[in-house]
Amino acid sequence: MKKAVKGIARETLDFILEVSKSTYPNEFAGLLQTRDDIITDVLILPGTESGKVSATLQLFMMPNMSSVGSVHSHPSSVIHPSHADLRLFSKTGNHHIIVGHPYGKNNWKCFNAKGEEIRIDVLDVEIEDDEIL
Ligand code: ZN
């Protein structure tokens, strides 16, 4: 089932760029989750910050997490999916963000499950934390 995604919350994109910076020179990877069809959550995978195992391989090991796609960083700064990335993309949803070093505002792209670049909007939305009451 492919879910429609309206865009990504600016706060979430900023978070992704921050985590990428703090993880550098290692890779980080996570799964993207939506609220009201907007990407607002990143589930960072345990262990990906150690850099000992390829972050993309870690994503393969996640059992049936519900997500609309994935995100991972490329310390090499090449913002283009690798062969391993393409295999991953086809399994985990239809929105895959790659961020490249130096992880600035424009150092990211989004791809669909086939690895074709797609445009997603960055939205100024307020994220309500409904977990804490
Ligand atoms: Zn990659």
Side-chain angles (χ1 to χ4, degrees), residues 47-58:
T48 58
E49 294 186 63
S50 73
K52 284 179 188 154
V53 181
S54 157
T56 31
L57 287 178
Q58 291 275 97

Side-chain angles (χ1 to χ4, degrees), residues 116-132:
E116 297 159 343
E117 192 177 336
I118 54 173
R119 210 184 132 260
I120 58 167
D121 292 321
V122 180
L123 305 168
D124 287 302
V125 289
E126 204 145 309
I127 300 172
E128 281 173 45
D129 210 330
D130 48 15
E131 325 259 304
I132 301 162

Side-chain angles (χ1 to χ4, degrees), residues 89-133:
F89 289 2
S90 65
K91 289 183 178 187
T92 48
N94 206 33
H95 295 80
H96 303 280
I97 294 173
I98 295 178
V99 288
H101 187 258
Y103 310 125
K105 263 202 326 248
N106 300 313
N107 299 123
W108 65 280
K109 283 179 183 171
C110 188
F111 301 88
N112 65 16
K114 292 181 195 156
E116 297 159 343
E117 192 177 336
I118 54 173
R119 210 184 132 260
I120 58 167
D121 292 321
V122 180
L123 305 168
D124 287 302
V125 289
E126 204 145 309
I127 300 172
E128 281 173 45
D129 210 330
D130 48 15
E131 325 259 304
I132 301 162
L133 292 172

Side-chain angles (χ1 to χ4, degrees), residues 29-104:
L31 292 172
L32 301 173
Q33 298 184 307
T34 52
R35 288 186 216 181
D36 300 328
D37 304 326
I38 297 168
I39 297 166
T40 53
D41 292 278
V42 182
L43 184 73
I44 297 184
L45 302 181
T48 58
E49 294 186 63
S50 73
K52 284 179 188 154
V53 181
S54 157
T56 31
L57 287 178
Q58 291 275 97
L59 280 174
F60 279 113
M61 294 189 257
M62 293 301 284
N64 303 317
M65 286 298 305
S66 99
S67 69
V68 292
S70 68
V71 55
H72 73 281
S73 65
H74 276 184
S76 65
S77 80
V78 177
I79 308 176
H80 196 77
S82 66
H83 290 294
D85 291 344
L86 291 176
R87 266 184 308 178
L88 166 77
F89 289 2
S90 65
K91 289 183 178 187
T92 48
N94 206 33
H95 295 80
H96 303 280
I97 294 173
I98 295 178
V99 288
H101 187 258
Y103 310 125

Side-chain angles (χ1 to χ4, degrees), residues 10-48:
R10 189 176 303 279
E11 211 176 292
T12 307
L13 180 63
D14 288 346
F15 171 75
I16 288 168
L17 294 169
E18 277 313 308
V19 176
S20 299
K21 276 181 207 164
S22 64
T23 315
Y24 183 80
N26 295 322
E27 257 184 79
F28 109 91
L31 292 172
L32 301 173
Q33 298 184 307
T34 52
R35 288 186 216 181
D36 300 328
D37 304 326
I38 297 168
I39 297 166
T40 53
D41 292 278
V42 182
L43 184 73
I44 297 184
L45 302 181
T48 58

